[in-house]
Amino acid sequence: MKITFILPAIGKKPGKKYIGTWKMEPLTVAVLKALTPPDIETELYDDRIELPNYDTVTDLVCITVETYTAKRSYRIAERFRERGIPVIMGGYHATICPEEAELHCDSVIVGNAETVWQQMIADAKEGRLQKRYIGGVGAYGTHPDKSIFTGKKYLPVSLVETGRGCCHSCEFCSISRFYDAHYHARSHEFIIDDIKASPHKYFFLVDDNLVADRKNAMSLFEKITPLGIKWAGQGTLSMAKDEALLKAMKQSGCELILIGFESLDKDNLRQMNKSFNYALGERDELVKRVHDAGIGIYATFVFGYDNDDEGTVESALEFSKKHNFYTAAFNHLLPFPNTRLYDRLKAENRLLYDKWWLADGYNYGELAFVPKRISPERLSSVCRNARKEYSSAGTVMRRGFASLGRTSPLMWGLFWGMNLRIGGEVDQKMNVPIGENLDELPK
Ligand code: B12
Ligand code: SF4
């Protein structure tokens, strides 16, 4: 038996390469490969770096579907199904919209694959795939099998999963729905083994909120300290209240942490159910504490809540410049399906498309709803301008020198490459046609 894994791209402009900073190794596929019995032949087409071979000889096609990649996933699936090859879909979007995914494939795995993958393979071998398999939700003990990446060129950073889910419940977040506002820590032994098995020095610890469970986080940081690695991760601003936690993070090799500030406006934070960010106290002081601990910040903001206008984007930009964040993202709000945000905007009749992810002509970087105090087009362009300004030469120089004293020399070296690349990608990302690969010949 042979299984073909496909990781679809969001979309591609004609003759352009895929966004460079997104080309990380797809851990998801390595986990699915690890779950697959060794007697089954496997191959991977990573649509972000190569076109799928629609003529490949295979018995089963497995596609990872995210909301942004749903349209392209369905098109790819159609090509294989025309040849009579069964297609399985799984991942975030297939889990939150199984009825939609089912229209485009033979079988959907809802949730995480670990608990149902063997059954699905047995059924596929016997030609009796079920329409839907209900997988579990948790952090399981599987070592990803990265041999499936052989020959593919990804960014030189290893992804190691440390946990899944988050204890919070922000209105716009897919994760809080997928994991029902629960955090699932992964076994520390597995994490350590994965780190030791990696060929790289830099790690991206894959977690929605590394500090969701303080006790678990402290214990993990202590255990990985002797490994002498450098890592980046993601966690909430609450870490800044906890000096001991910050110290343990730094000692374990944390160089950069992605923090979702989201908004500086109290009412916006309340509306997104993220008041905890405001309640933590003075943000300037919290930022200082993270920086004083020797950790750089990747600050992310989201705009489109009811108090947002050009002024709130400008304030976030000024705040970011003042603190010289290592890097920052100025995103517009996007109603992902099955989030409370989506339901609310739909009830308020503010969605521009019922399903933006499948809509004809919808492009990356565009709004999919009508904000209250600014037009959709204006907000899209104000966010783009903030990204441009934050990556302008003067700002990058100032930030670079500020980060000199903060992070390690290695991380300082990386700063220039990463920020110049992000700056160059601002306009490359705008208007990427969702679901289209314009290099692909029509069938
Ligand atoms: C690492 C990461 C990235 C990395 C690289 C991703 C990559 N493909 O390599 C970077 C930083 C580049 C990135 C970028 C983006 N990301 Co991202 N990313 C993640 C993150 C944190 C981890 C993904 C991961 O490796 N998980 C570990 C694996 C093992 O778990 P898993 O993917 O869930 O897989 C399990 C199940 O879902 C299921 N499954 C998955 N696929 C399949 C397929 C089959 C056939 C089956 C049976 C089962 C199955 O079984 C798996 C094993 O249990 C997730 C959040 C998360 N916790 O997963 C967000 C996440 C996937 N990203 C998200 C988004 C929105 C983006 C961006 C669009 C952000 C942006 N605006 O720029 C871009 C898009 C990039 C792209 N698609 O090209 C959203 C997707 C939401 C949605 N509804 O689709 C998520 C869920 C984050 C969130 N808070 O909502 N991302
Ligand atoms: S804190 Fe972050 S990961 Fe957790 S629910 Fe909110 S946005 Fe999602």
Side-chain angles (χ1 to χ4, degrees), residues 5-10 18-19 21-29 31-32 35 46 48 61-69 88-93 95-96 107-114 116-117 120 136 138 140 155 159 161 163-165 172-176 178-179 204-208 234 331 334 336-337 339 364 429:
F5 293 107
I6 298 189
L7 187 83
I10 288 180
Y18 202 59
I19 309 302
T21 51
W22 283 349
K23 283 191 228 158
M24 289 190 183
E25 53 182 36
L27 193 56
T28 313
V29 179
V31 168
L32 298 177
L35 297 173
D46 187 334
R48 302 172 303 172
V61 169
C62 294
I63 307 183
T64 290
V65 191
E66 289 174 19
T67 302
Y68 264 118
T69 62
I88 312 273
M89 288 184 183
Y92 285 95
H93 190 76
T95 295
I96 52 190
S107 184
V108 172
I109 292 190
V110 171
N112 292 329
E114 283 85 341
V116 286
W117 189 251
M120 184 280 290
Y140 304 93
L155 293 173
L159 272 65
E161 204 182 7
R164 293 182 183 178
F172 57 83
C173 182
S174 288
I175 289 294
S176 75
F178 192 100
Y179 290 102
F204 179 37
L205 299 187
V206 170
D207 206 302
D208 300 300
Q234 178 176 331
N331 298 320
L334 198 57
F336 280 91
T339 56
Y364 189 90
K429 276 186 191 167

Side-chain angles (χ1 to χ4, degrees), residues 193-214:
D193 287 348
D194 285 354
I195 291 176
K196 285 184 175 162
S198 164
H200 299 123
K201 284 197 204 94
Y202 297 108
F203 290 84
F204 179 37
L205 299 187
V206 170
D207 206 302
D208 300 300
N209 182 5
L210 251 170
V211 296
D213 176 343
R214 183 189 189 271

Side-chain angles (χ1 to χ4, degrees), residues 165-170 172-176 208-209 234 236 262 274 276:
C166 174
C167 51
H168 297 295
S169 186
C170 303
F172 57 83
C173 182
S174 288
I175 289 294
S176 75
D208 300 300
N209 182 5
Q234 178 176 331
T236 49
E262 323 300 7
K274 206 158 184 168
F276 61 86

